[in-house]
Amino acid sequence: MNNILLVEDDLSLIDGLEFSLNKNGFQVDVVRTVQEALSRLLIQNYDLLLLDLVLPDGTGFDICKKARQNSTVPIIFLTASDEEVNIVMALDMGGDDYITKPFKLNELISRINALLRRAEITHDSQNELKSNGIIIKMDENRVIKENSVVELTGAEYRLLCLLMQNPNMTLTRSLILDRLWDENGNFVDDNTLSVYIRRLRRKIEEDPQKPLNIVTVRGVGYKWNDQK
């Protein structure tokens, strides 16, 4: 049974969310503040975090930032605003997905299941991937460049794994979305994928403006350029 931490201060939403999550086979812990969430994360490991954006003592960004210091746990933001600046910030902070209130509970459950399926990419049978000075230790969920650990979010890690598992092969944008988000590619658009690619390049390329590892195939998608 997957364990989910729900961080939400709206009492009118909590009961319905908790009931629906339990009904779909999830174990749910509910907290209402940033401080409660951070305290819970110190003593409990979770398979997924559901974070309300606006909380009494801070924001979901505060929790996400802290969680990303040592974890790639999937994170979904619950936000009342669909403004682009909030969405981009949520993804840049390390979030994997977001859903705008009001939302249908079935849609949220579908997104949760999609994220949990994506996370399984880390259990690939290969223990280690090596290319262009980048090492992925699959059994440790770690990426190493020049003997230093590269801090990646869960989405960035899964994207890098997918690219390096298919060296010198052009992966279409739709294929990447299908493999990393949900089987229909409905929940993440092209702009979101572009944010992940740009962020990943900043962390692993010598010159992100002239990438040599993650190459854009114009009008098609991306490929990992294995420079043997």
Side-chain angles (χ1 to χ4, degrees):
M1 179 179 291
N2 293 113
N3 294 320
I4 293 177
L5 178 64
L6 170 61
V7 188
E8 172 63 66
D9 68 325
D10 188 340
L11 293 176
S12 66
L13 286 178
I14 290 174
D15 288 345
L17 282 172
E18 187 173 13
F19 175 80
S20 181
L21 290 167
N22 286 331
K23 183 179 178 181
N24 282 273
F26 299 109
Q27 174 66 44
V28 185
D29 288 338
V30 180
V31 296
R32 298 175 59 191
T33 68
V34 172
Q35 190 56 52
E36 287 177 307
L38 295 181
S39 297
R40 192 62 65 91
L41 288 172
L42 289 175
I43 61 175
Q44 176 70 45
N45 291 323
Y46 291 96
D47 298 297
L48 186 138
L49 307 183
L50 287 175
L51 307 181
D52 188 17
L53 192 57
V54 180
L55 297 163
D57 58 341
T59 70
F61 295 144
D62 301 323
I63 303 168
C64 181
K65 184 177 181 180
K66 188 69 175 179
R68 282 293 176 251
Q69 291 179 2
N70 56 17
S71 174
T72 58
V73 60
I75 294 174
I76 298 177
F77 279 98
L78 310 177
T79 172
S81 171
D82 60 356
E83 293 183 4
E84 183 178 357
V85 63
N86 287 330
I87 294 170
V88 172
M89 185 176 295
L91 297 175
D92 279 342
M93 289 290 291
D96 295 281
D97 199 358
Y98 68 91
I99 188 167
T100 304
K101 301 176 184 177
F103 50 80
K104 295 180 180 180
L105 290 174
N106 286 341
E107 181 181 357
L108 176 61
I109 296 300
S110 293
R111 294 190 183 209
I112 290 172
N113 286 329
L115 265 179
L116 293 174
R117 286 196 303 269
R118 288 172 232 163
E120 292 179 1
I121 193 174
T122 62
H123 300 300
D124 189 270
S125 58
Q126 299 181 71
N127 290 325
E128 190 170 277
L129 298 172
K130 295 182 179 180
S131 178
N132 304 344
I134 305 293
I135 301 173
I136 301 180
K137 294 185 175 295
M138 307 291 286
D139 53 346
E140 302 175 15
N141 292 350
R142 287 200 305 159
V143 176
I144 298 173
K145 176 185 177 184
E146 298 176 351
N147 297 319
S148 298
V149 174
V150 181
E151 298 296 336
L152 300 179
T153 67
E156 292 166 356
Y157 177 77
R158 291 189 294 274
L159 177 56
L160 182 60
C161 286
L162 178 61
L163 291 167
M164 287 183 62
Q165 285 170 331
N166 297 276
N168 299 321
M169 291 179 56
T170 299
L171 304 181
T172 65
R173 296 178 72 92
S174 61
L175 183 147
I176 294 172
L177 294 176
D178 286 346
R179 290 286 301 275
L180 293 187
W181 278 273
D182 84 315
E183 57 193 21
N184 297 313
N186 290 327
F187 298 148
V188 176
D189 60 21
D190 278 357
N191 290 334
T192 303
L193 177 56
S194 296
V195 170
Y196 287 131
I197 290 288
R198 184 170 64 251
R199 198 166 60 188
L200 187 55
R201 281 171 168 164
R202 286 202 300 261
K203 296 181 178 182
I204 68 167
E205 297 282 1
E206 294 299 325
D207 184 354
Q209 301 302 316
K210 299 178 181 179
L212 297 178
N213 297 318
I214 302 175
V215 178
T216 299
V217 181
R218 191 169 300 278
V220 180
Y222 303 95
K223 72 176 180 179
W224 179 263
N225 183 32
D226 189 11
Q227 306 167 54
K228 294 180 179 179

